[in-house]
Amino acid sequence: MASAAAEVPSYFVCPISLQLMRDPVTLPTGISYDRAAIARWLAAPGARRTCPVTRQPLEHGLELTPNHTLRRLIQSWAASVSPGSAVDEEVAALRPVSSDEVASLLSDAAAAQVGALRRLRELAAECEDSRAMLESQGGVFDVLSRVVTSGSACSTAREEAVGVLASLRIPEQELIGVSTRHGNLAESLTAVLRSSNLQSRAHAVQLVRTLADAVVPAWVIGLNGELLAEVVGVVRDRVSARATKASLHALAALCPYGRHRVKIVGAGAVAALVELLLDEPERRVCELALAVLDRLCTCAEGRAELVAHAAGVAVVGKKVLRVSEAASERAVRVLQEMAQCGVVGKLCLALRSEQCGVKTKEKAHEVLKLHSRVWRASPCLSPSFLALYPS
């Protein structure tokens, strides 16, 4: 029986590395791979955007879906392997972790030990059972938050603690408590967002999104422009597809509070969003980017930045009827906001102004014609300007 158990079933083996899968993930093609192996495949020079087994093309920026069922099967099999067998060393790391082990790791993590924090992050990412066990530990969220905001912990320890927190499902009451008890949490997250480690930046922006979505007014309103600028930076730098989505969610949630809208515009968000839309992102990213633009264009600073960008108004108009109903709705709202606030009228006047050169008039004519369907029908455009509108 021991020898039979020591033979690794073929469906537990990664098609790329030919090794037992530690963290199985599934591609849209339905084939599962070990996360590390497929990540290397996709990142290899030459950008092989195909499934290694089926050779089907893969979308850029796709997210790897954890195969929790396969992982549980592998763990169950690993627990049956006899100690000392040929594969015992290989499966040791796959055996389910005990509650006592998690408690011990959390105790070491409280002392900002990088190894313990890294292991906790790995456990949180491994499977649902391990994550649930970690979340059930008393005081886990406060312990990790203390490491994040500690002045004595090294930067690596703080980044690892942020990674653990970003992987956990933090109850709303815990989020309120953490943000209340740790007054320098925003400053600490800003420091992590400035890290050269892209994964740490992704984790930090995910945590900012979690806090913003929970609507912790005192914490959100008190945010400084530096953290908002770093969140915008994640969008601009294209840290990862998941990080971009988290950043957009966070920006949309933070816009309504205080002067955050103006601060976000001042951090270069409008230009970053326009550049993102120009890259033809996937549908959901496009919808989120337009949603943020919609909110930013409700302030004069946001509208001015959109008009100032050479492709700003054009790229918004291009998304109407080309992405989804939600994207069209947001794009039309942005364009109507521009009409309501006098942008269209000024473009119409530019066509007749002697102070504008030929090239300026040509550009004004092009923009007006491109968006004529929305702007000519807008109740915000006065009849006097409508008469000047190019046919």
Side-chain angles (χ1 to χ4, degrees):
M1 181 177 294
S3 59
E7 184 177 345
V8 181
S10 60
Y11 41 88
F12 291 167
V13 174
C14 173
I16 298 176
S17 67
L18 302 181
Q19 300 294 318
L20 180 67
M21 287 187 276
R22 298 171 60 89
D23 185 9
V25 295
T26 304
L27 295 184
T29 58
I31 307 298
S32 292
Y33 302 91
D34 190 54
R35 182 183 295 275
I38 189 61
R40 285 194 298 270
W41 169 275
L42 296 174
R48 293 173 288 186
R49 307 301 304 180
T50 58
C51 173
V53 172
T54 67
R55 298 297 176 181
Q56 294 179 28
L58 301 172
E59 291 184 5
H60 181 73
L62 67 86
E63 294 186 13
L64 303 174
T65 304
N67 191 330
H68 297 303
T69 300
L70 180 56
R71 179 170 183 81
R72 288 194 182 97
L73 289 172
I74 294 174
Q75 286 187 326
S76 178
W77 170 81
S80 71
V81 174
S82 302
S85 65
V87 296
D88 180 50
E89 185 176 341
E90 187 176 0
V91 304
L94 294 171
R95 295 193 176 104
V97 65
S98 69
S99 179
D100 288 342
E101 288 177 283
V102 173
S104 177
L105 285 169
L106 191 58
S107 176
D108 292 339
Q113 293 185 18
V114 173
L117 288 162
R118 185 167 293 140
R119 179 57 182 148
L120 287 176
R121 179 169 59 81
E122 292 171 352
L123 286 175
E126 274 180 1
C127 68
E128 185 67 23
D129 294 339
S130 297
R131 182 171 66 167
M133 185 179 295
L134 179 54
E135 291 168 341
S136 67
Q137 297 293 316
V140 58
F141 306 112
D142 214 41
V143 166
L144 293 169
S145 298
R146 278 201 298 271
V147 176
V148 173
T149 57
S150 170
S152 58
C154 67
S155 60
T156 303
R158 291 197 296 270
E159 290 175 11
E160 290 291 345
V162 167
V164 181
L165 283 169
S167 302
L168 301 180
R169 296 159 298 191
I170 311 176
E172 187 171 331
Q173 287 304 312
E174 288 285 353
L175 283 170
I176 294 173
V178 164
S179 62
T180 302
R181 289 189 294 272
H182 304 280
N184 63 333
L185 181 59
E187 290 80 0
S188 301
L189 288 174
T190 301
V192 177
L193 283 166
R194 289 172 175 162
S195 168
S196 58
N197 187 316
L198 297 183
Q199 186 178 45
S200 296
R201 293 179 69 189
H203 290 154
V205 81
Q206 181 63 46
L207 191 52
V208 172
R209 178 204 170 172
T210 301
L211 287 161
D213 285 345
V215 189
V216 186
W219 186 82
V220 172
I221 293 174
L223 291 180
N224 57 39
E226 293 182 356
L227 183 139
L228 298 174
E230 294 304 325
V231 174
V232 172
V234 173
V235 176
R236 183 176 53 250
D237 298 343
R238 310 286 200 281
V239 170
S240 70
R242 185 174 182 181
T244 297
K245 289 180 183 177
S247 299
L248 295 173
H249 274 291
L251 291 172
L254 293 170
C255 273
Y257 292 91
R259 288 184 55 78
H260 287 351
R261 190 180 289 110
V262 176
K263 293 177 182 177
I264 291 170
V265 171
V270 173
L273 292 169
V274 170
E275 295 298 329
L276 178 62
L277 290 171
L278 286 171
D279 284 347
E280 300 288 346
E282 62 171 286
R283 178 183 61 80
R284 185 57 183 151
V285 172
C286 185
E287 291 171 349
L288 288 170
L290 288 168
V292 178
L293 264 182
D294 178 20
R295 297 191 177 188
L296 295 180
C297 285
T298 58
C299 70
E301 292 84 353
R303 294 189 294 273
E305 286 296 314
L306 185 61
V307 173
H309 195 292
V313 177
V315 76
V316 173
K318 186 179 177 182
K319 301 305 176 184
V320 177
L321 301 178
R322 292 192 178 186
V323 180
S324 68
E325 183 178 349
S328 295
E329 180 184 350
R330 295 293 188 179
V332 168
R333 283 177 57 172
V334 172
L335 295 174
Q336 287 181 334
E337 188 71 33
M338 306 298 283
Q340 184 176 358
C341 297
V343 172
V344 182
K346 292 178 181 178
L347 288 172
C348 289
L349 289 174
L351 292 177
R352 298 289 190 272
S353 174
E354 295 181 358
Q355 298 178 358
C356 296
V358 175
K359 288 187 178 180
T360 301
K361 290 181 178 181
E362 287 177 351
K363 288 183 179 179
H365 184 278
E366 184 180 346
V367 172
L368 287 168
K369 192 171 181 179
L370 181 63
H371 306 295
S372 61
R373 181 169 51 188
V374 175
W375 284 345
R376 286 177 69 91
S378 174
C380 305
L381 189 62
S382 68
S384 60
F385 289 132
L386 189 59
L388 297 175
Y389 208 103
S391 58

